[in-house]
Amino acid sequence: MSCTRDDPDSRPPLGARGFTLIEIIVVIAVIAVLASVVSPMVFQNVSDAKQATARSQIEVFSLALDSYRLDTDRYPSSEIGLSALRASPSDSVYARNWRGPYLRREVPMDPWDRPYIYLAPGEVNPTSFDLLTLGRDGFPGGEGEDADITSWN
């Protein structure tokens, strides 16, 4: 005896036929609601992590700059910049007593992929240096992730 399409024994049971369109729409709606609730929390954590990274890097650079000053009796000039923490400056005034490298790796970009701003003497700290990043927006000031992160705050 062969099975045909009309043969009731050859059909799958009612519960095994698959999902209805309404069931699929409900599942998609639940996923969308969950994504809308979870996404802001994830992005806030990314923002917080970038700010914490910038603060930590500025602190490490500041310690390295202080070590540089202890050895050479001055901070590197703005023109020489943070590169003096990795390689001896060619200027004999700055190269004298240089005992670096003061950092194990090259100076990275800030978390928003821009170079850190280094000024020596600083505008805020005229007897030492200013080291900062302008945050996500790249402009002075701002709030939240757009806020400046500095070595003096």
Side-chain angles (χ1 to χ4, degrees):
M1 172 184 230
S2 68
C3 292
T4 63
R5 286 186 177 189
D6 296 328
D7 185 5
D9 294 334
S10 67
R11 292 185 194 158
L14 282 177
R17 287 190 177 173
F19 299 106
T20 65
L21 181 59
I22 292 189
E23 290 171 327
I24 292 173
I25 290 173
V26 167
V27 168
I28 290 173
V30 168
I31 291 172
V33 167
L34 287 174
S36 69
V37 170
V38 172
S39 294
M41 288 186 268
V42 169
F43 289 123
Q44 181 61 41
N45 288 338
V46 169
S47 171
D48 291 346
K50 285 185 175 188
Q51 290 175 319
T53 298
R55 281 188 193 92
S56 296
Q57 288 178 336
I58 285 176
E59 188 64 31
V60 167
F61 300 154
S62 295
L63 291 171
L65 286 163
D66 288 338
S67 294
Y68 180 99
R69 182 183 178 279
L70 287 173
D71 291 344
T72 64
D73 295 328
R74 65 187 74 211
Y75 290 106
S77 68
S78 298
E79 294 79 30
I80 295 172
L82 297 176
S83 64
L85 299 175
R86 287 284 303 153
S88 177
S90 58
D91 184 346
S92 63
V93 173
Y94 287 95
R96 186 182 67 231
N97 297 327
W98 188 86
R99 292 186 178 91
Y102 299 92
L103 294 173
R104 291 183 183 177
R105 297 188 183 115
E106 292 297 319
V107 176
M109 301 295 243
D110 73 9
W112 300 276
D113 209 27
R114 287 188 300 275
Y116 284 93
I117 298 169
Y118 172 73
L119 301 171
E123 293 173 1
V124 177
N125 302 301
T127 59
S128 61
F129 62 89
D130 293 351
L131 182 58
L132 65 140
T133 179
L134 299 176
R136 178 183 62 187
D137 64 355
F139 296 104
E143 296 179 4
E145 196 175 359
D146 295 336
D148 301 347
I149 299 172
T150 65
S151 59
W152 59 89
N153 285 343

